[in-house]
Amino acid sequence: MPALRHRHAALLALPLLVGLVGLSGCGEGWSAPVNTSDLAPEVVSVRITADSVEPNGDRVVVERGQTVVLEVDADEAGELHVHADPEQHLDYPAGESEQEVVITMPGIVEIESHSLEQTIVQLEVR
């Protein structure tokens, strides 16, 4: 009788196993890996003063996994907020600096200055 129990357990487990295998490729937010070795970094020049920022909401198209270099020229130190999953915070000093960000999920990602309440750039990640 023990062999029969094991056979029934295996038969009951089969639909569960098939369901799990079927779900493994259907997760929300899932995306295939991207080969970024051939992609040059996308460079965005950013100028931040006490009351303005340039660019001001421009949209830049990038590929998933492509490095985006923000060349920041700022009067004062501050922080950029990258509204991606996960959200990122980039601290920059006064003067010139480079900040790098890589987004791996497709969609629109806003990079903002919350202190100025302005969107600096929108990354359209494909």
Side-chain angles (χ1 to χ4, degrees):
M1 238 9 182
L4 187 57
R5 260 191 236 151
H6 290 297
R7 186 175 302 146
H8 283 161
L11 289 174
L12 291 173
L14 186 59
L16 177 61
L17 180 60
V18 170
L20 289 175
V21 169
L23 289 175
S24 67
C26 299
E28 186 175 321
W30 181 86
S31 60
V34 176
N35 180 4
T36 58
S37 61
D38 295 335
L39 297 175
E42 180 67 37
V43 178
V44 178
S45 296
V46 178
R47 174 75 180 119
I48 301 173
T49 64
D51 59 354
S52 69
V53 63
E54 286 184 32
N56 192 347
D58 293 358
R59 185 168 289 187
V60 176
V61 176
V62 297
E63 298 298 321
R64 287 180 289 146
Q66 183 177 11
T67 299
V68 177
V69 177
L70 302 167
E71 292 181 336
V72 179
D73 182 7
D75 290 348
E76 297 178 1
E79 182 179 73
L80 301 176
H81 294 248
V82 181
H83 292 276
D85 186 20
E87 186 168 306
Q88 301 173 46
H89 302 275
L90 306 173
D91 293 320
Y92 59 85
E96 296 179 1
S97 66
E98 287 187 356
Q99 308 298 318
E100 290 187 2
V101 64
V102 176
I103 310 297
T104 57
M105 298 296 292
I108 304 296
V109 174
E110 292 185 343
I111 299 178
E112 300 178 335
S113 166
H114 281 266
S115 62
L116 294 176
E117 297 182 10
Q118 288 186 336
T119 299
I120 297 169
V121 67
Q122 296 178 346
L123 301 178
E124 182 177 337
V125 184
R126 298 182 175 176

